[in-house]
Amino acid sequence: MENPQYPINNMASTWLEKLKEAQKTCLVQDGRRKIHFTFKDGAEMTEEYDLQTSELVVRRWRRQGQLGGAGKWETEVGEEVVPRRMEMEGMVESSSNPIFTRKDIKSKFQWRVRNLPYPIEIYSASLDESSTQVIIRTSNKKYYKKFTIPDMERLGLKLSADQIHLAHANNTLIISYQKPKEILDIEKQLQEEFKKMKATSDGDMDCRPS
């Protein structure tokens, strides 16, 4: 999967090799390329890419539970899938609570926090002492959020505070982080591999390059 045109570090090479060795199936459906990875350790990952833009829309993980059974799916990118237990029990979650989701664009990691009405001057962004987590807070102490960027962690890359950008519109805080060259190089290599995969619109099939 590696291409000498796009030099990468050792951790990136290890991650690419892990993706290469995983069992893969793919499906083209609803304007998306949907890829399912099963890794040697039993973990699973699903990704969905927009066919027009090649942008990542969804990434979810399922790892084996402590007792060996399949765990729950966890969302890394895209809208969280949450069971509607409260609604079934006749309870309704407040629609005014902040909702944090990740939705990347090609050149940036990006997150949106809906239901935050405060002006842009209220928000600030910083990094924790290890430079591995982003911290978002408001000066009125109404919102606080700390989160990592798993893509950067997998490659062993530290975060840089000057790459964080905040914007606000329509009661939504938009947090952007410029993707470093290492991430862009890997994504380019992966897209080249995806284009070689055999896919079907009728069901899953082997996704090994033809």
Side-chain angles (χ1 to χ4, degrees):
M1 183 176 287
E2 296 181 26
N3 186 328
Q5 184 179 352
Y6 310 114
I8 54 178
N9 63 30
N10 289 336
M11 291 189 69
S13 178
T14 300
W15 172 238
L16 283 172
E17 189 63 25
K18 183 174 181 178
L19 292 174
K20 180 179 179 180
E21 293 177 350
Q23 180 182 347
K24 295 178 283 292
T25 58
C26 62
L27 173 69
V28 173
Q29 186 181 61
D30 301 326
R32 296 182 181 182
R33 185 188 308 276
K34 303 178 180 182
I35 305 172
H36 180 276
F37 300 80
T38 302
F39 299 100
K40 291 183 177 180
D41 61 2
E44 299 172 75
M45 180 178 74
T46 63
E47 293 186 329
E48 299 182 16
Y49 291 86
D50 185 288
L51 285 176
Q52 298 297 321
T53 64
S54 297
E55 290 182 353
L56 177 65
V57 181
V58 173
R59 178 186 290 138
R60 294 190 176 99
W61 284 89
R62 182 166 67 179
R63 298 173 175 86
Q64 288 188 328
Q66 294 182 350
L67 300 179
K72 296 181 180 179
W73 283 102
E74 299 177 358
T75 300
E76 183 175 307
V77 179
E79 295 283 348
E80 186 74 46
V81 178
V82 180
R84 301 174 66 180
R85 294 180 180 175
M86 294 180 64
E87 183 173 325
M88 290 186 292
E89 296 173 357
M91 302 172 62
V92 179
E93 186 176 2
S94 173
S95 60
S96 63
N97 290 339
I99 300 173
F100 179 89
T101 58
R102 175 175 161 185
K103 186 180 185 301
D104 294 351
I105 59 177
K106 271 195 172 182
S107 62
K108 299 175 182 179
F109 301 114
Q110 200 165 83
W111 304 261
R112 287 167 170 75
V113 190
R114 299 196 294 271
N115 299 329
L116 286 182
Y118 319 113
I120 188 63
E121 295 81 12
I122 294 293
Y123 308 96
S124 64
S126 60
L127 299 179
D128 69 345
E129 293 182 358
S130 65
S131 294
T132 59
Q133 296 187 84
V134 178
I135 301 173
I136 303 297
R137 54 165 55 93
T138 56
S139 58
N140 61 7
K141 299 183 180 180
K142 296 293 186 180
Y143 185 76
Y144 178 91
K145 181 71 175 180
K146 180 186 288 188
F147 60 94
T148 64
I149 307 179
D151 313 64
M152 300 284 284
E153 289 185 313
R154 284 189 282 266
L155 271 61
L157 300 174
K158 295 288 187 179
L159 303 179
S160 177
D162 60 7
Q163 298 302 311
I164 306 172
H165 176 74
L166 301 181
H168 188 268
N170 301 319
N171 288 338
T172 299
L173 178 67
I174 303 171
I175 308 157
S176 302
Y177 188 94
Q178 184 69 43
K179 294 179 181 178
K181 184 178 183 299
E182 292 91 336
I183 293 289
L184 294 173
D185 286 347
I186 284 183
E187 291 181 350
K188 187 167 185 176
Q189 290 189 57
L190 289 175
Q191 287 303 318
E192 290 175 354
E193 290 297 318
F194 293 160
K195 290 175 182 178
K196 300 175 185 177
M197 289 180 177
K198 294 179 180 179
T200 177
S201 58
D202 298 320
D204 291 346
M205 67 179 298
D206 194 350
C207 279
R208 289 174 296 182
S210 56

